[in-house]
């Protein structure tokens, strides 16, 4: 027979267990929830993919369609909620396919999608729907990710943060400042927490500029680590896609889903035996201890606030156990890098955009001359409010006059200058026994939109990563006195993503400076319960 005393003790024990279970549960702000947090909530039943998509759509409605009208989204996937419900049912019956099962992802609108238009942000490709997904988009769908929509960009991934189809994207930290380009929509959308993960592309800084200007995390991977098949090209010698998110963890988990050798993209053969499908295994909080980090001081001195944030970041690394070494790039490289970039970028676009446009249907432009001629017919605002884009369309003419791919000006840079730049960077890393080189991703705070120069910015180091094909990881480092984000780049040799992730994660966890932009605050009832 059970005594009253034992029943009382059992009741107290049950209450205590319930109390400690509740105490262990954490409420995480929606914008701060990582993919790991989301998966914990999915597993515990405190969150479904359908609810997660609804949260994302609510933020798009509040801040892109209304409120500050950030204008990052070109279109939303009308089947996103339907897909989420199907993935919720699949999770219950079969379990998750991957860490991205049921997680919304937003795409820069130069990634092909079989079920939504791919326009490059141009009225000249309005409503063009490709027959197939880009290789990495299919990888995401196969992993159970939900393609939530397509994002605005610098038209054809070049110029200012504006397109003739999508108009001007705003920076959610300061509506008068540029969100940078060309992945402007991705940078702004991820900073504003429209989705956990976004994809950008980078040819001359187009992931890294928006990552820094919007205060998030992003990666320009090693050239060849991610397939470019199904991405509107700008210059395939430099082009790469890459993940953008609000944490190093989320960038790492997204990259692992998308890597792999693709027979349709010969550059991915370089990654054979060098890629992994799980980069989260390299995230170590103590990775800075004993590391040798080079600081590229050539890229300081343009903005005292940015310099202060960088010096503070270096001090944080020293406190974490890193040795900081000053490094300098040769003057001839600093002087020549914009010319090297343009000598390859412009003629490649002319040839490669024609190859892409050949697959478009009747009525669409098929080459650079068609693009020039049709742009001359757009003189006023369209029904969506977007209209002429003179900065980008004038660049069409410069590209058309840049020479062909058998031109000595192109071949001399591609075959001789680019290997020379790689040798210089590899030499600096080896001579100083460096694990990585760091620098301010943007040497100046985001400029006012009326003053924003088209990329690449000659004062920035970002195009060195494109000329070499080496990886560059950007992590939030701090804010200026006028509350504008500053990013720090971790730059290393080919296929050094594991090391960069380790260092970047260690720095992120030691500093934790990312914050939600002032113009896109938390909405009510959007916290995530993570047991």
């Amino acid at each position: 027979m059970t005594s009253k005393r034992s029943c009382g003790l059992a009741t107290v024990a049950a209450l205590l267990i319930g109390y400690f279970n509740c105490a262990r549960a954490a409420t995480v702000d929606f914008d701060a929830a990582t993919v790991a947090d989301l998966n914990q909530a999915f597993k515990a039943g405190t969150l479904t993919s359908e609810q997660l998509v609804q949260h994302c759509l609510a933020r798009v409605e509040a801040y892109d369609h209304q409120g500050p009208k950030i204008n990052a989204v070109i279109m939303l996937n009308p089947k996103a909620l339907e897909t989420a419900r199907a993935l919720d049912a699949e999770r219950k019956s079969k379990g998750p396919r991957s860490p991205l099962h049921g997680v919304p992802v937003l795409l820069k609108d130069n990634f092909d999608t079989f079920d939504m238009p791919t326009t490059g942000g141009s009225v000249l490709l309005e409503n063009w729907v490709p027959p197939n997904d880009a290789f990495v988009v299919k990888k995401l769908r196969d992993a159970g990710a939900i393609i939530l929509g397509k994002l605005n960009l610098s038209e054809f991934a070049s110029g200012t943060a504006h397109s003739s189809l999508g108009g001007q994207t705003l920076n959610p930290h300061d509506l008068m400042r540029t969100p940078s380009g060309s992945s402007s929509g991705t940078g702004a959308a991820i900073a504003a927490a429209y989705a956990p993960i976004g994809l950008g592309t980078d040819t001359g800084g187009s992931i890294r500029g928006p990552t820094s200007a919007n205060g998030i995390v992003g990666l320009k991977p090693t050239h060849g680590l991610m397939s470019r098949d199904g991405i509107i090209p700008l210059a395939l010698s430099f082009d790469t896609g890459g993940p953008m998110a609000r944490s190093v963890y989320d960038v790492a988990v997204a990259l692992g889903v998308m890597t792999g050798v693709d027979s349709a993209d010969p550059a991915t053969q370089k990654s054979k035996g060098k890629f992994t499908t799980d980069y989260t295994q390299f995230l170590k909080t103590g990775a800075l201890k004993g590391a040798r980090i080079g600081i590229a001081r050539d890229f300081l001195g343009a903005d005292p606030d940015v310099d202060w944030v960088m010096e503070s970041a270096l001090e944080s690394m020293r406190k974490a156990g890193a040795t900081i070494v000053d490094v300098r790039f040769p003057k001839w490289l600093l002087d020549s890098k914009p010319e090297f970039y343009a000598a390859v970028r412009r003629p490649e676009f002319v040839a490669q955009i024609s190859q892409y446009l050949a697959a478009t249907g009747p009525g669409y432009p098929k080459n650079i001359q068609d693009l020039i001629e049709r742009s001359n017919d757009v003189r006023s605002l369209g029904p969506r409010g977007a209209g002429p884009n003179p900065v980008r369309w004038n660049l069409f003419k410069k590209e058309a006059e840049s020479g062909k791919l058998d031109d000595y000006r192109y071949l001399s840079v591609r075959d001789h200058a680019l290997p020379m730049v790689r040798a210089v960077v590899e030499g600096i890393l080896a001579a100083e026994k460096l694990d990585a080189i760091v620098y301010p991703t943007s040497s100046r705070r985001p400029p006012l939109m009326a003053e924003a120069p088209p990329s690449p910015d000659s004062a920035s180091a970002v195009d060195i990563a494109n000329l070499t094909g080496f990886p560059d990881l950007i992590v939030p480092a701090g804010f200026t006195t006028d509350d504008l984000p500053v990013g720090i780049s971790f730059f290393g040799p080919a296929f050094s993503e594991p090391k960069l992730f380790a260092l970047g994660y260690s720095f992120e966890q030691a500093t934790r400076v990312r914050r939600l932009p002032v113009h896109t605050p938390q909405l009510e009832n959007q916290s995530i319960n993570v047991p």
Side-chain angles (χ1 to χ4, degrees):
M1 184 175 178
T2 306
S3 70
K4 290 183 179 179
R5 182 174 181 274
S6 63
C7 287
L9 288 173
T11 302
V12 171
L15 288 171
L16 285 171
I17 290 170
Y19 171 79
F20 284 117
N21 281 338
C22 290
R24 282 200 300 268
T27 300
V28 180
D29 287 346
F30 182 70
D31 71 291
T34 66
V35 169
D37 294 327
L38 298 177
N39 277 294
Q40 280 185 262
F42 288 150
K43 186 176 180 179
T46 59
L47 180 70
T48 66
S49 296
E50 182 179 4
Q51 290 168 338
L52 180 57
V53 169
Q54 288 171 334
H55 286 329
C56 293
L57 294 176
R59 293 191 65 81
V60 173
E61 179 63 26
Y63 299 129
D64 220 66
H65 299 162
Q66 300 182 49
K69 295 187 177 180
I70 299 301
N71 201 35
V73 178
I74 284 183
M75 80 166 295
L76 292 169
N77 183 351
K79 294 187 177 180
L81 282 169
E82 176 187 329
T83 302
R85 286 189 284 268
L87 287 164
D88 281 333
E90 183 180 320
R91 180 186 293 274
K92 286 183 179 179
S93 62
K94 298 179 182 178
R97 301 184 198 178
S98 82
L100 293 189
H101 185 108
V103 175
V105 176
L106 285 164
L107 307 177
K108 184 178 181 178
D109 195 23
N110 58 351
F111 286 83
D112 283 357
T113 45
F114 78 90
D115 54 351
M116 287 179 282
T118 299
T119 70
S122 181
V123 295
L124 309 177
L125 290 184
E126 189 170 11
N127 298 322
W128 154 242
V129 181
N132 302 300
D133 280 340
F135 179 88
V136 294
V137 174
K138 185 176 186 304
K139 282 256 189 183
L140 287 167
R141 291 202 215 245
D142 289 347
I146 300 165
I147 305 305
L148 186 64
K150 308 293 284 292
L151 298 171
N152 202 12
L153 65 157
S154 305
E155 189 162 349
F156 286 103
S158 190
T160 57
H162 182 276
S163 74
S164 61
L165 184 64
Q168 177 69 51
T169 298
L170 306 181
N171 188 322
H173 290 277
D174 183 336
L175 304 180
M176 300 302 292
R177 301 274 173 171
T178 179
S180 190
S182 65
S183 305
S184 48
T186 312
I190 298 306
Y194 292 176
I197 293 168
L199 290 195
T201 60
D202 196 304
T203 306
S206 291
I207 285 173
R208 288 153 302 149
T211 293
S212 180
N214 292 281
I216 58 172
V217 180
L219 175 73
K220 186 213 85 78
T222 302
H223 189 265
L225 185 60
M226 279 177 57
S227 171
R228 288 85 46 80
D229 179 54
I231 302 175
I232 299 176
L234 184 59
L236 290 174
S237 288
F238 303 145
D239 287 351
T240 181
M244 300 164 69
R246 292 183 296 279
S247 67
V248 174
Y249 180 92
D250 286 2
V251 168
V253 76
L255 180 65
V257 165
M258 295 185 288
T259 54
V261 175
D262 176 14
S263 60
D265 183 359
T268 60
Q269 291 293 331
K270 294 185 291 186
S271 74
K272 194 172 184 178
K274 297 176 181 176
F275 72 86
T276 182
T277 57
D278 179 15
Y279 287 90
T280 63
Q281 64 183 301
F282 304 110
L283 306 182
K284 313 288 186 188
T285 56
L288 283 166
K289 187 174 183 179
R292 285 180 61 82
I293 307 293
I295 169 63
R297 293 203 171 271
D298 297 298
F299 305 103
L300 297 174
D303 184 323
D305 279 27
V306 172
D307 292 353
W308 185 89
V309 171
M310 284 298 298
E311 296 297 346
S312 175
L314 295 174
E315 189 56 33
S316 295
M317 292 185 212
R318 291 188 187 98
K319 288 180 180 177
T323 298
I324 307 300
V325 179
D326 287 2
V327 298
R328 296 279 182 178
F329 286 93
K331 186 177 184 302
W332 64 261
L333 173 56
L334 300 177
D335 292 342
S336 302
K337 64 186 180 68
E339 295 294 330
F340 289 164
Y341 175 79
V344 173
R345 212 287 284 155
R346 291 182 181 180
E348 284 201 0
F349 177 74
V350 174
Q352 292 158 6
I353 195 62
S354 296
Q355 295 167 1
Y356 179 87
L357 294 174
T360 60
Y364 287 101
K366 295 293 183 285
N367 53 49
I368 190 75
Q369 291 303 326
D370 285 352
L371 292 173
I372 292 170
E373 290 173 12
R374 296 188 187 204
S375 68
N376 289 330
D377 294 331
V378 182
R379 302 180 185 89
S380 62
L381 296 179
R384 293 172 52 128
N389 189 6
V391 171
R392 182 63 184 96
W393 293 351
N394 281 326
L395 185 53
F396 285 156
K397 298 171 185 177
K398 294 179 181 178
E399 289 160 340
E401 298 166 355
S402 63
K404 297 184 178 180
L405 299 189
D406 58 358
D407 190 303
Y408 74 91
R409 294 171 294 177
Y410 168 76
L411 292 173
S412 60
V413 173
R414 188 197 67 180
D415 296 345
H416 301 287
L418 299 188
M420 185 166 58
V421 175
R422 283 193 291 274
V424 167
V425 175
E426 288 170 339
I428 292 171
L429 289 162
E432 298 291 347
K433 298 182 172 62
L434 299 177
D435 293 290
I437 294 172
V438 298
Y439 63 92
T441 310
S442 297
S443 295
R444 303 180 180 92
R445 72 194 75 192
L448 295 166
M449 282 185 290
E451 303 169 358
S455 58
D457 180 358
S458 61
S460 171
V462 293
D463 50 1
I464 295 177
N466 300 105
L467 297 174
T468 57
F470 294 169
D472 201 357
L473 175 71
I474 298 82
V475 182
F479 286 80
T480 63
T481 51
D482 45 356
D483 295 326
L484 297 170
V486 176
I488 185 170
S489 279
F490 290 82
F491 174 53
F495 301 105
S496 62
E497 281 83 358
K499 174 67 73 175
L500 300 185
F501 276 131
L503 297 172
Y505 182 76
S506 182
F507 175 77
E508 175 194 56
Q509 296 304 301
T511 55
R512 295 180 178 270
V513 299
R514 186 208 64 85
R515 65 179 185 231
L516 196 59
V518 293
H519 292 286
T520 55
Q522 190 84 350
L523 295 176
E524 290 185 8
N525 303 316
Q526 282 211 325
S527 296
I528 304 295
N529 292 321
V530 182

